[in-house]
């Protein structure tokens, strides 16, 4: 239907007014961004200043002679306690401030800011990371299952190993971003993924031959089992994440997290036997490969290299898991005592 000029002008006027409003809102937005970036700079420099002075302070306190009065002793103890706990508060603050990327992220992503500035965004990123892990793990489990039971082509094994390399490399990047955002992932798990990526890369280059065929089924069965355990682990870890989010509490073990604690212990005691069995399977793989390397017709360097990787994985996984469980038990006992 043809429109008259008055309608067009009316519409245009309305559009223009909205555009003016939009320009104003965008100007305010840019101004606030500027303010935020100034606040971020202020906070960051204040934190480094505080850190330096706190360090000096703790030296001073150490050298300081205790005064005769009980009150002086109390005051000194109070300062000591605060100098001990304050660095944690700084780290917590820093996880909401932009910072320079570490070496790995600088190499992979360049110097782009990866700090997520609020808790919801951090949770959403972690949630997405757990989902990514779960989906890819299911794909890997199906793939290795098919390779184990139904088809036996070196070409398909190569695709499986390529997928594994892709999976572990992506995890290392995502985990570095999570750590920048305040996650407490232990260094070993990140290192574990570097080694696993390397191991899968080496498996990819292992030429088809008698020795490869000898190890193939053991490796595929291990892959199926590992993916299965990783699914359980993902279920446990996203369970922890959802419960923590529901509580609205993180890194804070007070009474309100009692329900979370009991769920966590149930999950952990269910998971641990599967994890330890997987660790001993890694040891078994390592030892089998070392034995294979002794054979007179073993010419491939991949045999020894994969054996060493499996052995490192076993040692790291086993001792880190034991340390994690011991630490969790210790905190639980301390909490019980303080109740
Ligand atoms: N990979 C990636 N992230 C991990 C991790 C792992 N294996 N283990 C722990 N984390 C993360 C947690 O998600 C948590 O992150 P957040 O700070 O962002 O919330 C942080 O590290 C601290 O976790 P923590 O409290 O120490 O442990 P947990 O209760 O989440 O998990 C275990 C404990 C033992 C279940 C877990 O470490 C694990 O599964 N380890 C075994 C892995 C393994 O051996 N795999 C090979 C199987 S064959």
């Amino acid at each position: 239907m043809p429109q008259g000029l008055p309608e067009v002008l009316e519409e245009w006027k309305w559009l223009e007014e909205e555009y003016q409003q939009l320009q104003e809102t965008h100007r305010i937005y840019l101004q606030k961004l500027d303010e935020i970036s100034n606040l971020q700079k202020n906070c960051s420099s204040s934190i480094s200043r505080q850190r330096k002075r706190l360090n000096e302070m703790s030296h001073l306190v150490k050298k300081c002679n205790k005064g005769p009065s009980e009150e002086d002793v109390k005051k000194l103890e109070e300062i000591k306690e605060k100098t001990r706990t304050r660095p944690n508060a700084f780290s917590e603050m820093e996880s909401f401030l932009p910072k320079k990327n570490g070496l790995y992220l600088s190499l992979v992503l360049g110097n782009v800011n990866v700090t997520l500035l609020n808790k919801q965004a951090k949770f959403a990123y972690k949630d997405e990371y757990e989902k990514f892990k779960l989906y890819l793990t299911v794909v890997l489990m199906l793939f290795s299952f098919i390779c184990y039971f139904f088809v036996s082509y070196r070409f398909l094994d190569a695709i499986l190993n390529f997928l594994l390399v892709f999976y572990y490399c992506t995890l290392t990047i995502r985990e570095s971003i999570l750590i920048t955002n305040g996650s407490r992932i232990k260094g070993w798990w990140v290192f574990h993924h570097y080694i696993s990526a390397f191991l899968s890369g080496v498996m990819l280059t292992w030429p088809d031959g008698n020795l490869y065929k000898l190890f193939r089924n053991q490796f595929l069965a291990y892959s199926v089992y590992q993916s299965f355990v990783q699914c359980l682990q993902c279920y446990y870890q996203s369970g922890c994440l959802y419960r923590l989010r529901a509580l609205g509490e993180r890194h804070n073990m007070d009474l309100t997290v009692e329900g979370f604690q009991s769920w966590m212990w149930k999950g952990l005691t269910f998971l641990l036997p599967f994890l330890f069995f997987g660790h001993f399977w890694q040891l078994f793989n390592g030892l089998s490969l070392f034995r294979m390397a002794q054979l007179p017709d073993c010419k491939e360097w991949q045999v020894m290299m994969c054996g060493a990787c499996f052995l490192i994985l076993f040692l790291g996984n086993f001792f880190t898991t034991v340390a994690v469980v011991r630490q969790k038990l210790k905190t639980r006992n301390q909490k019980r005592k303080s109740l």
Side-chain angles (χ1 to χ4, degrees), residues 126 129-130 133 175 183-186 189 192-193 226 229 233 236-237 250-251 268 271 275 278-279 282 317 321 324 328:
K126 175 88 190 205
Y129 156 86
E130 293 293 350
K133 251 170 62 168
E175 278 161 7
S183 172
R184 300 150 303 151
I185 300 176
K186 307 239 169 348
W189 301 126
H192 168 275
H193 296 141
Q226 198 195 24
V229 176
Q233 189 194 331
Y236 163 80
Q237 258 148 357
R250 270 173 63 85
H251 316 321
L268 204 59
L271 192 58
L275 286 176
H279 299 163
Q282 284 166 344
N317 283 343
T321 308
V324 168
K328 281 181 189 283

Side-chain angles (χ1 to χ4, degrees), residues 122-123 126 129-130 133 168 171 175 178-179 181-186 188-190 192-193 222 225-227 229-230 232-234 236-238 240-241 244 250-251 253 260 264 267-268 271-272 274-282 313 316-318 320-322 324-325 327-328:
K122 284 178 200 288
F123 268 128
K126 175 88 190 205
Y129 156 86
E130 293 293 350
K133 251 170 62 168
Y168 286 119
L171 285 193
E175 278 161 7
L178 282 171
I179 291 171
N181 281 289
S183 172
R184 300 150 303 151
I185 300 176
K186 307 239 169 348
W188 163 255
W189 301 126
V190 184
H192 168 275
H193 296 141
Y222 163 76
Y225 180 77
Q226 198 195 24
S227 308
V229 176
Q230 264 166 12
L232 292 182
Q233 189 194 331
C234 283
Y236 163 80
Q237 258 148 357
S238 32
C240 286
L241 187 72
L244 279 175
R250 270 173 63 85
H251 316 321
M253 297 292 170
F260 163 72
M264 186 196 79
L268 204 59
L271 192 58
L272 280 176
F274 291 101
L275 286 176
F276 285 127
F277 185 75
H279 299 163
F280 283 101
W281 200 332
Q282 284 166 344
L313 285 181
N317 283 343
F318 182 74
T320 314
T321 308
V322 170
V324 168
V325 176
Q327 196 201 338
K328 281 181 189 283

Side-chain angles (χ1 to χ4, degrees), residues 2-217:
Q3 298 268 320
L5 185 62
E7 278 101 353
V8 173
L9 288 178
E10 181 66 23
E11 179 81 356
W12 176 248
K13 197 176 141 219
W14 186 81
L15 218 66
E16 269 292 275
E17 267 169 25
E18 204 185 56
Y19 178 66
Q20 302 296 337
Q21 244 175 36
L22 168 67
Q23 268 189 323
E24 180 56 17
T25 317
H26 193 254
R27 192 190 60 76
I28 297 173
Y29 168 67
L30 289 182
Q31 189 187 332
K32 298 261 180 227
L33 272 186
D34 224 35
E35 279 171 27
I36 286 186
S37 117
N38 283 337
L39 283 174
Q40 286 170 338
K41 273 183 210 144
N42 279 351
C43 283
S44 297
S45 57
S46 183
I47 287 176
S48 40
R49 213 176 27 247
Q50 278 263 326
R51 271 218 175 98
K52 201 168 150 235
R53 293 184 62 184
L54 203 68
N55 229 348
E56 290 164 5
M57 190 67 193
S58 52
H59 281 122
L60 273 180
V61 171
K62 259 182 214 155
K63 280 186 206 151
C64 177
N65 289 328
K66 284 183 187 141
S69 75
E70 217 171 86
E71 203 173 320
D72 289 347
V73 177
K74 227 170 147 186
K75 268 186 192 150
L76 267 180
E77 281 306 316
E78 207 177 297
I79 295 176
K80 256 189 206 164
E81 179 60 26
K82 282 193 176 153
T83 48
R84 223 167 33 82
T85 53
R86 202 144 293 175
N88 293 342
F90 292 149
S91 307
E92 183 78 21
M93 284 179 193
E94 269 178 338
S95 68
F96 290 90
L97 290 168
K99 54 175 145 327
K100 260 188 118 178
N101 288 338
L103 180 67
Y104 184 59
L105 277 184
S106 306
L107 282 175
V108 180
L109 302 178
N111 213 359
V112 61
N113 177 28
V114 292
T115 315
L116 300 163
L117 294 180
N118 60 54
K119 278 197 176 183
Q120 287 96 312
K122 284 178 200 288
F123 268 128
Y125 189 75
K126 175 88 190 205
D127 188 26
E128 214 244 323
Y129 156 86
E130 293 293 350
K131 280 200 183 113
F132 168 82
K133 251 170 62 168
L134 185 64
Y135 295 152
L136 231 82
T137 307
V138 172
V139 171
L140 287 168
M141 182 157 65
L142 289 177
F143 211 126
S144 24
F145 188 82
I146 291 170
C147 289
Y148 183 79
F149 285 105
F150 302 110
V151 281
S152 172
Y153 294 123
R154 180 67 184 87
F155 153 73
L156 283 179
D157 294 357
I159 295 183
L160 172 69
N161 281 308
F162 169 74
L163 269 178
L164 281 167
V165 174
F166 166 78
Y167 171 67
Y168 286 119
C169 288
T170 320
L171 285 193
T172 56
I173 301 171
R174 286 178 181 241
E175 278 161 7
S176 304
I177 295 178
L178 282 171
I179 291 171
T180 311
N181 281 289
S183 172
R184 300 150 303 151
I185 300 176
K186 307 239 169 348
W188 163 255
W189 301 126
V190 184
F191 190 54
H192 168 275
H193 296 141
Y194 285 113
I195 298 178
S196 301
F198 177 74
L199 171 66
S200 312
V202 176
M203 286 294 295
L204 190 61
T205 64
W206 191 345
D208 204 4
N210 284 341
L211 290 183
Y212 178 78
K213 287 201 178 86
L214 212 63
F215 186 61
R216 180 179 181 271
N217 274 352

